[in-house]
Amino acid sequence: MNLTMARSIRRAGIAGLLAALLASCAADGPTQVATPLAPTTSVVQADERLASVAAERAAIEARYAEREAGCYKKFFVNHCLDEAKEGRRAALAPQRAIEIEAEYFKRKNKVEERDRAIAEAEAKFQAEEARTATTAPPTPKATTPLPPPRPSPAAKRVASRNARMAEEAAQEPANAARRAASAAAYEERRRKSEERQRAVAQRKAERAAKRTAQQAEREKTQAEQKAAVPAR
């Protein structure tokens, strides 16, 4: 696999992930429209976007915690919790898309800078070789075999990097399977945690309803007893 193919693979993977995230945002409801993400154009802008995502995430989590606490004061606890979780998920999805795009730009920029450095080193090496070839060597005192041509250090670095990228691409299916398994395990733990929370909320609501019914029954009994006492 050469450098161009490796870049194409990476770009296709990032593009697919961004499309999936933006599609999930658009699927939240008929009134929600996914806003196209303007591409990052500089490392400074990428850092600013990542800092903004971190701040917005903290604000989203704070709003979610406040709303979650308020749900336990309402009668329909589970419905309120579900709405709070869905609002949190919908708010975090576009932030994740921004984060992925900014991180991808930084990685791409780093690779491009490395490529430029390698190209400059290769050009310098070729220029030195050209100067050496045009300079007449001194008359040798004795006939000696010419040394083999020096290997290009830049070419060696490119070949090493291409081999490493090919190995990473070969391992990607296994890595993707591990990531999918990890994500599935996380979702299962999250689902069980939400079920436990709903069960706790349901038990609280049932106990509260039972206490209310018992209090109403006591008040009714007291009223009947009071009404049964003859006036003196």
Side-chain angles (χ1 to χ4, degrees):
M1 177 184 296
N2 57 29
L3 181 59
T4 302
M5 291 178 64
R7 286 181 180 170
S8 299
I9 291 173
R10 291 204 303 272
R11 288 185 184 128
I14 292 296
L17 183 55
L18 286 174
L21 285 172
L22 291 176
S24 69
C25 296
D28 289 340
T31 60
Q32 187 171 1
V33 179
T35 303
L37 183 64
T40 303
T41 57
S42 68
V43 175
V44 173
Q45 185 185 27
D47 289 336
E48 290 175 350
R49 285 185 168 184
L50 291 174
S52 176
V53 166
E56 183 60 22
R57 271 209 184 106
I60 291 170
E61 294 296 347
R63 290 195 297 269
Y64 170 71
E66 182 179 356
R67 186 174 180 184
E68 184 183 35
C71 285
Y72 291 104
K73 301 176 183 178
K74 297 183 178 181
F75 183 77
F76 297 103
V77 178
N78 293 341
H79 179 70
C80 180
L81 288 173
D82 290 340
E83 286 187 343
K85 289 184 178 68
E86 179 59 23
R88 172 178 173 270
R89 187 200 65 78
L92 287 175
Q95 298 303 316
R96 178 56 179 158
I98 295 171
E99 181 181 49
I100 290 174
E101 196 278 335
E103 289 178 344
Y104 170 70
F105 176 84
K106 293 186 68 174
R107 290 195 301 271
K108 180 171 69 71
N109 184 74
K110 188 175 181 179
V111 171
E112 290 174 351
E113 288 181 349
R114 187 167 62 237
D115 288 346
R116 283 194 293 270
I118 291 174
E120 290 173 0
E122 177 67 17
K124 184 178 180 181
F125 174 80
Q126 295 297 340
E128 290 177 354
E129 289 293 301
R131 282 195 299 270
T132 301
T134 56
T135 302
T139 304
K141 294 180 180 180
T143 302
T144 56
L146 295 176
R150 292 183 302 164
S152 167
K156 289 177 63 177
R157 287 195 294 270
V158 171
S160 176
R161 188 183 64 188
N162 287 344
R164 185 173 64 253
M165 293 173 64
E167 182 180 356
E168 292 175 355
Q171 295 175 352
E172 179 58 24
N175 293 336
R178 284 194 296 270
R179 289 194 298 270
S182 177
Y186 169 78
E187 287 298 324
E188 180 64 16
R189 291 194 300 271
R190 183 182 62 80
R191 183 185 64 79
K192 290 182 178 179
S193 175
E194 291 178 357
E195 288 179 353
R196 287 194 296 271
Q197 291 177 3
R198 283 195 291 268
V200 170
Q202 183 66 27
R203 287 196 296 271
K204 288 182 178 179
E206 290 174 354
R207 286 197 295 267
K210 185 176 180 180
R211 287 195 298 268
T212 302
Q214 290 174 345
Q215 179 63 27
E217 185 64 25
R218 284 195 297 269
E219 291 176 355
K220 179 181 178 181
T221 301
Q222 290 174 358
E224 290 175 351
Q225 292 175 349
K226 185 176 181 181
V229 176
R232 294 183 179 180

